Each structure stands twice: as structure tokens, then as C-alpha cells.
């Protein structure tokens, strides 16, 4: 599968899930809305993905797509679980996708990055690693920042920017994928900048 076809399938999946989640027109609402409780806590931002070890929330101009547990995303590898969160932005000519993927993993960050690098080479067509930097997230958690181009059509590459992190129990990959020229390095860094990962709490399953 080429990088461009994988992106097209991912966008098609996003739109299909979005349409399905909207429900069937005309269906009656069976549960009346509840009245707001006094002194209610602030509403959780629907863009935010949170679990005991991480937080991610893209800028407000992104749209989160509800995911079913059996959703499959191209380019993830056959043994990969579906992403835990999926976001889209743009239109048919200028589309971008963010995926948040979480897998069980208890090895080191460096070892996982090597494994992930090989998985990208196996799953994508003609990849070129533009940048691979071991750095830290904003909260100080060690991470790799990757910029990878893929595809064999000049001027039609697919760009992939990723944070690759390990929280001692899981691997976490937050990827921004889109076509060459649709966004800049700075835009990609901004869109993924909210990622916050901590060592997964020992008392949590």
C-alpha cells in the first residue's frame, strides 16, 4: 500500500465513522436531557484524550472522530491495535489526520523507537527520515520527535510527524499525517504540542 492510498483510506474511514456517529435522521430521542446540577464542574473538552498516563488535546480547529473498538487504520501494522483517538482537519484538497495510538510495552524508549522505525519501513512506501531527534515533551518526559516523508511521486509525498514515547508500561505514538505542502514544521509542532505523558501509575491496571 502506498503512503497516499493509506492516507486516503484513513480519511475515508474518518468520514465514514463521523457519518455513522451522527445517527439516523429522524430517530426519536429516547432519553430526555438532564438538567444541569447546581455548582456543576466545568465541562470536559470533547477534543481531550486522557488516561492515567497521558493527556492530548489538539487545537480547537480540529475535529475528533468517534471510534468503534474494531476500527482499523492503514499503516498501523497487522498486530497493532486501533488508535484510541482520531482527529481530522481540512477538506478534500488539504486534509490532515492525527492519530493517538497506545500499545502494551515494558521496554526502553530507544528499543521501541528502533522497532517503530522498522514498522514504518515495512508499512509505508519509500520512506525518508527527514528528522529523528531524542528530546523531551513539554513536561520533561523523554521522547523521540520524528519527521518522515513517504511515497514515490515527486511533489506528492505524505508527511508524518510523530511523538514517540514510552511510559514504562505502554508505547504511545501521536502522529500527524498529511500531504506535502499542506502544513509546515511549525504547524505540526504546534498541533502536537499538548502531549503530556508521565510514568504510568504503578497501582493502575
Amino acid at each position: 500500500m502506498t503512503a497516499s492510498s493509506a492516507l486516503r483510506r484513513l480519511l475515508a474511514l474518518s468520514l465514514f465513522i463521523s457519518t455513522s456517529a451522527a445517527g439516523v435522521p429522524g430517530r426519536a430521542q429516547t432519553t430526555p436531557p438532564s438538567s444541569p446540577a447546581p455548582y456543576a464542574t466545568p465541562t470536559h473538552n470533547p477534543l481531550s484524550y486522557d488516561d492515567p498516563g497521558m493527556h492530548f488535546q489538539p487545537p480547537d480547529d480540529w475535529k475528533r472522530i468517534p471510534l468503534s473498538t474494531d476500527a482499523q487504520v492503514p499503516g498501523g501494522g497487522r498486530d497493532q491495535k486501533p488508535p484510541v483517538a482520531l482527529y481530522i482537519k481540512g477538506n478534500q484538497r488539504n486534509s490532515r489526520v492525527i492519530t493517538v495510538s497506545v500499545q502494551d510495552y515494558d521496554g526502553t524508549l530507544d528499543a521501541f523507537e528502533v522497532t517503530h522505525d522498522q514498522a514504518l519501513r515495512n508499512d509505508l512506501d519509500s520512506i525518508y527520515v527527514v528528522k529523528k531527534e531524542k528530546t523531551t515533551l513539554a513536561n520533561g518526559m523523554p521522547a523521540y520527535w520524528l519527521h518522515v516523508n513517504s511515497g514515490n511521486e515527486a511533489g506528492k509525498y505524505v508527511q508524518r510527524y510523530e511523538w514517540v514515547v514510552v511510559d514504562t508500561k505502554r508505547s504511545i505514538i501521536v502522529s500527524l499525517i498529511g500531504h506535502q505542502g499542506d502544513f509546515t514544521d511549525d504547524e505540526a509542532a504546534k498541533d502536537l504540542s499538548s502531549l503530556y505523558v508521565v510514568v504510568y501509575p504503578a497501582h493502575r491496571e
Side-chain angles (χ1 to χ4, degrees):
M1 178 187 299
T2 66
S4 294
S5 64
L7 180 58
R8 286 195 297 270
R9 286 183 59 187
L10 180 55
L11 291 169
L13 172 67
S14 304
L15 293 174
F16 173 77
I17 295 173
S18 178
T19 302
S20 300
V24 179
R27 178 176 294 176
Q29 183 176 347
T30 57
T31 304
S34 58
S35 299
Y39 312 111
T41 57
T43 303
H44 177 72
N45 190 310
L47 288 178
S48 179
Y49 174 78
D50 297 275
D51 68 31
M54 67 171 289
H55 163 80
F56 177 72
Q57 181 180 316
D60 290 341
D61 52 352
W62 284 83
K63 178 182 179 182
R64 186 169 182 176
I65 303 301
L67 287 176
S68 63
T69 56
D70 60 350
Q72 295 296 321
V73 173
R78 293 183 179 180
D79 297 328
Q80 296 286 312
K81 296 178 183 178
V84 296
L86 174 65
Y87 306 87
I88 61 172
K89 177 181 178 179
N91 50 46
Q92 290 183 344
R93 293 187 176 182
N94 180 354
S95 298
R96 287 168 252 180
V97 176
I98 291 177
T99 61
V100 180
S101 301
V102 179
Q103 307 284 332
D104 294 334
Y105 184 78
D106 59 4
T108 67
L109 172 62
D110 290 341
F112 178 72
E113 193 286 320
V114 172
T115 301
H116 178 57
D117 182 87
Q118 187 59 51
L120 287 177
R121 295 181 187 280
N122 291 340
D123 292 337
L124 300 177
D125 179 57
S126 303
I127 82 161
Y128 172 68
V129 179
V130 180
K131 185 173 186 177
K132 177 166 57 177
E133 178 184 10
K134 189 174 185 181
T135 178
T136 60
L137 302 178
N139 70 313
M141 188 70 161
Y144 274 94
W145 174 250
L146 300 181
H147 175 194
V148 176
N149 287 341
S150 57
N152 52 19
E153 300 178 69
K156 296 183 179 179
Y157 301 124
V158 171
Q159 298 185 108
R160 176 185 294 257
Y161 292 81
E162 294 185 328
W163 278 118
V164 177
V165 197
V166 169
D167 69 2
T168 72
K169 288 194 174 183
R170 310 174 305 169
S171 64
I172 297 166
I173 303 172
V174 181
S175 305
L176 169 58
I177 308 165
H179 289 106
Q180 180 186 25
D182 286 352
F183 56 99
T184 66
D185 292 357
D186 289 343
E187 288 175 313
K190 179 182 177 182
D191 285 345
L192 301 184
S193 64
S194 71
L195 181 62
Y196 183 104
V197 178
V198 297
V199 172
Y200 197 86
H203 64 284
R204 300 297 293 265
E205 293 296 331

mmCIF file of all heavy atoms in Angstrom, residues 1-16 72-75:
data_model
loop_
_atom_site.group_PDB
_atom_site.id
_atom_site.type_symbol
_atom_site.label_atom_id
_atom_site.label_comp_id
_atom_site.label_asym_id
_atom_site.label_seq_id
_atom_site.Cartn_x
_atom_site.Cartn_y
_atom_site.Cartn_z
ATOM 1 N N MET A 1 0.841 -1.202 0.000
ATOM 2 C CA MET A 1 0.000 0.000 0.000
ATOM 3 C C MET A 1 0.873 1.248 0.000
ATOM 4 O O MET A 1 1.802 1.362 0.775
ATOM 5 C CB MET A 1 -0.896 0.004 1.245
ATOM 6 C CG MET A 1 -1.769 1.235 1.338
ATOM 7 S SD MET A 1 -2.657 1.292 2.926
ATOM 8 C CE MET A 1 -3.615 -0.221 2.808
ATOM 9 N N THR A 2 0.609 2.173 -0.917
ATOM 10 C CA THR A 2 1.384 3.397 -0.946
ATOM 11 C C THR A 2 0.955 4.318 0.172
ATOM 12 O O THR A 2 -0.126 4.190 0.732
ATOM 13 C CB THR A 2 1.206 4.118 -2.287
ATOM 14 O OG1 THR A 2 -0.142 4.557 -2.387
ATOM 15 C CG2 THR A 2 1.551 3.206 -3.455
ATOM 16 N N ALA A 3 1.827 5.293 0.487
ATOM 17 C CA ALA A 3 1.504 6.241 1.553
ATOM 18 C C ALA A 3 0.268 7.044 1.210
ATOM 19 O O ALA A 3 -0.588 7.300 2.058
ATOM 20 C CB ALA A 3 2.695 7.168 1.789
ATOM 21 N N SER A 4 0.141 7.458 -0.075
ATOM 22 C CA SER A 4 -1.020 8.264 -0.469
ATOM 23 C C SER A 4 -2.310 7.476 -0.347
ATOM 24 O O SER A 4 -3.329 7.998 0.109
ATOM 25 C CB SER A 4 -0.848 8.755 -1.913
ATOM 26 O OG SER A 4 0.228 9.663 -2.004
ATOM 27 N N SER A 5 -2.298 6.208 -0.753
ATOM 28 C CA SER A 5 -3.518 5.416 -0.643
ATOM 29 C C SER A 5 -3.869 5.152 0.805
ATOM 30 O O SER A 5 -5.045 5.109 1.175
ATOM 31 C CB SER A 5 -3.371 4.096 -1.406
ATOM 32 O OG SER A 5 -2.356 3.290 -0.839
ATOM 33 N N ALA A 6 -2.860 4.979 1.665
ATOM 34 C CA ALA A 6 -3.127 4.783 3.094
ATOM 35 C C ALA A 6 -3.793 6.011 3.687
ATOM 36 O O ALA A 6 -4.739 5.902 4.479
ATOM 37 C CB ALA A 6 -1.827 4.473 3.835
ATOM 38 N N LEU A 7 -3.313 7.187 3.309
ATOM 39 C CA LEU A 7 -3.912 8.421 3.814
ATOM 40 C C LEU A 7 -5.329 8.577 3.311
ATOM 41 O O LEU A 7 -6.234 8.948 4.067
ATOM 42 C CB LEU A 7 -3.062 9.622 3.400
ATOM 43 C CG LEU A 7 -3.565 10.997 3.857
ATOM 44 C CD1 LEU A 7 -3.690 11.057 5.378
ATOM 45 C CD2 LEU A 7 -2.656 12.099 3.350
ATOM 46 N N ARG A 8 -5.558 8.264 2.043
ATOM 47 C CA ARG A 8 -6.916 8.359 1.504
ATOM 48 C C ARG A 8 -7.861 7.419 2.229
ATOM 49 O O ARG A 8 -8.997 7.780 2.548
ATOM 50 C CB ARG A 8 -6.908 8.060 -0.002
ATOM 51 C CG ARG A 8 -6.347 9.175 -0.865
ATOM 52 C CD ARG A 8 -6.709 8.964 -2.317
ATOM 53 N NE ARG A 8 -6.128 7.740 -2.843
ATOM 54 C CZ ARG A 8 -4.929 7.674 -3.418
ATOM 55 N NH1 ARG A 8 -4.189 8.760 -3.532
ATOM 56 N NH2 ARG A 8 -4.467 6.525 -3.876
ATOM 57 N N ARG A 9 -7.409 6.198 2.522
ATOM 58 C CA ARG A 9 -8.260 5.247 3.230
ATOM 59 C C ARG A 9 -8.522 5.707 4.660
ATOM 60 O O ARG A 9 -9.609 5.527 5.192
ATOM 61 C CB ARG A 9 -7.609 3.862 3.235
ATOM 62 C CG ARG A 9 -7.673 3.166 1.891
ATOM 63 C CD ARG A 9 -7.085 1.791 1.950
ATOM 64 N NE ARG A 9 -7.775 0.956 2.936
ATOM 65 C CZ ARG A 9 -7.359 -0.264 3.277
ATOM 66 N NH1 ARG A 9 -6.271 -0.763 2.728
ATOM 67 N NH2 ARG A 9 -8.026 -0.972 4.180
ATOM 68 N N LEU A 10 -7.506 6.304 5.276
ATOM 69 C CA LEU A 10 -7.678 6.802 6.630
ATOM 70 C C LEU A 10 -8.700 7.933 6.671
ATOM 71 O O LEU A 10 -9.566 7.981 7.545
ATOM 72 C CB LEU A 10 -6.330 7.280 7.173
ATOM 73 C CG LEU A 10 -6.301 7.837 8.590
ATOM 74 C CD1 LEU A 10 -6.878 6.826 9.579
ATOM 75 C CD2 LEU A 10 -4.887 8.205 8.984
ATOM 76 N N LEU A 11 -8.626 8.836 5.695
ATOM 77 C CA LEU A 11 -9.596 9.929 5.625
ATOM 78 C C LEU A 11 -11.005 9.398 5.346
ATOM 79 O O LEU A 11 -11.980 9.868 5.927
ATOM 80 C CB LEU A 11 -9.180 10.922 4.541
ATOM 81 C CG LEU A 11 -7.919 11.733 4.842
ATOM 82 C CD1 LEU A 11 -7.455 12.466 3.590
ATOM 83 C CD2 LEU A 11 -8.158 12.703 5.970
ATOM 84 N N ALA A 12 -11.100 8.401 4.452
ATOM 85 C CA ALA A 12 -12.406 7.819 4.161
ATOM 86 C C ALA A 12 -12.993 7.158 5.403
ATOM 87 O O ALA A 12 -14.185 7.275 5.686
ATOM 88 C CB ALA A 12 -12.288 6.799 3.029
ATOM 89 N N LEU A 13 -12.133 6.460 6.166
ATOM 90 C CA LEU A 13 -12.591 5.843 7.411
ATOM 91 C C LEU A 13 -13.084 6.897 8.382
ATOM 92 O O LEU A 13 -14.127 6.736 9.026
ATOM 93 C CB LEU A 13 -11.444 5.043 8.041
ATOM 94 C CG LEU A 13 -11.694 4.494 9.449
ATOM 95 C CD1 LEU A 13 -12.769 3.418 9.406
ATOM 96 C CD2 LEU A 13 -10.410 3.940 10.037
ATOM 97 N N SER A 14 -12.362 8.008 8.462
ATOM 98 C CA SER A 14 -12.746 9.081 9.373
ATOM 99 C C SER A 14 -14.123 9.616 9.023
ATOM 100 O O SER A 14 -14.969 9.817 9.892
ATOM 101 C CB SER A 14 -11.722 10.221 9.312
ATOM 102 O OG SER A 14 -10.433 9.762 9.593
ATOM 103 N N LEU A 15 -14.348 9.855 7.738
ATOM 104 C CA LEU A 15 -15.625 10.405 7.305
ATOM 105 C C LEU A 15 -16.750 9.400 7.511
ATOM 106 O O LEU A 15 -17.871 9.761 7.890
ATOM 107 C CB LEU A 15 -15.543 10.818 5.835
ATOM 108 C CG LEU A 15 -14.594 11.993 5.552
ATOM 109 C CD1 LEU A 15 -14.469 12.213 4.052
ATOM 110 C CD2 LEU A 15 -15.073 13.256 6.247
ATOM 111 N N PHE A 16 -16.477 8.108 7.271
ATOM 112 C CA PHE A 16 -17.492 7.078 7.474
ATOM 113 C C PHE A 16 -17.900 6.992 8.935
ATOM 114 O O PHE A 16 -19.087 6.965 9.268
ATOM 115 C CB PHE A 16 -16.968 5.726 7.010
ATOM 116 C CG PHE A 16 -17.891 4.580 7.348
ATOM 117 C CD1 PHE A 16 -19.041 4.349 6.606
ATOM 118 C CD2 PHE A 16 -17.599 3.748 8.407
ATOM 119 C CE1 PHE A 16 -19.892 3.304 6.913
ATOM 120 C CE2 PHE A 16 -18.443 2.699 8.733
ATOM 121 C CZ PHE A 16 -19.588 2.470 7.982
ATOM 122 N N GLN A 72 -10.105 0.000 12.069
ATOM 123 C CA GLN A 72 -8.769 -0.331 11.604
ATOM 124 C C GLN A 72 -8.217 0.853 10.814
ATOM 125 O O GLN A 72 -8.921 1.456 10.015
ATOM 126 C CB GLN A 72 -8.793 -1.580 10.718
ATOM 127 C CG GLN A 72 -9.220 -2.841 11.466
ATOM 128 C CD GLN A 72 -8.240 -3.215 12.560
ATOM 129 O OE1 GLN A 72 -7.023 -3.086 12.380
ATOM 130 N NE2 GLN A 72 -8.747 -3.657 13.694
ATOM 131 N N VAL A 73 -6.950 1.139 11.032
ATOM 132 C CA VAL A 73 -6.319 2.272 10.365
ATOM 133 C C VAL A 73 -5.154 1.791 9.523
ATOM 134 O O VAL A 73 -4.304 1.060 10.005
ATOM 135 C CB VAL A 73 -5.830 3.304 11.398
ATOM 136 C CG1 VAL A 73 -5.024 4.389 10.717
ATOM 137 C CG2 VAL A 73 -7.024 3.920 12.106
ATOM 138 N N PRO A 74 -5.095 2.164 8.232
ATOM 139 C CA PRO A 74 -3.987 1.739 7.377
ATOM 140 C C PRO A 74 -2.647 2.212 7.918
ATOM 141 O O PRO A 74 -2.535 3.273 8.521
ATOM 142 C CB PRO A 74 -4.298 2.414 6.034
ATOM 143 C CG PRO A 74 -5.749 2.721 6.079
ATOM 144 C CD PRO A 74 -6.067 2.988 7.517
ATOM 145 N N GLY A 75 -1.611 1.414 7.668
ATOM 146 C CA GLY A 75 -0.264 1.811 8.050
ATOM 147 C C GLY A 75 0.077 1.521 9.483
ATOM 148 O O GLY A 75 1.157 1.863 9.938
#
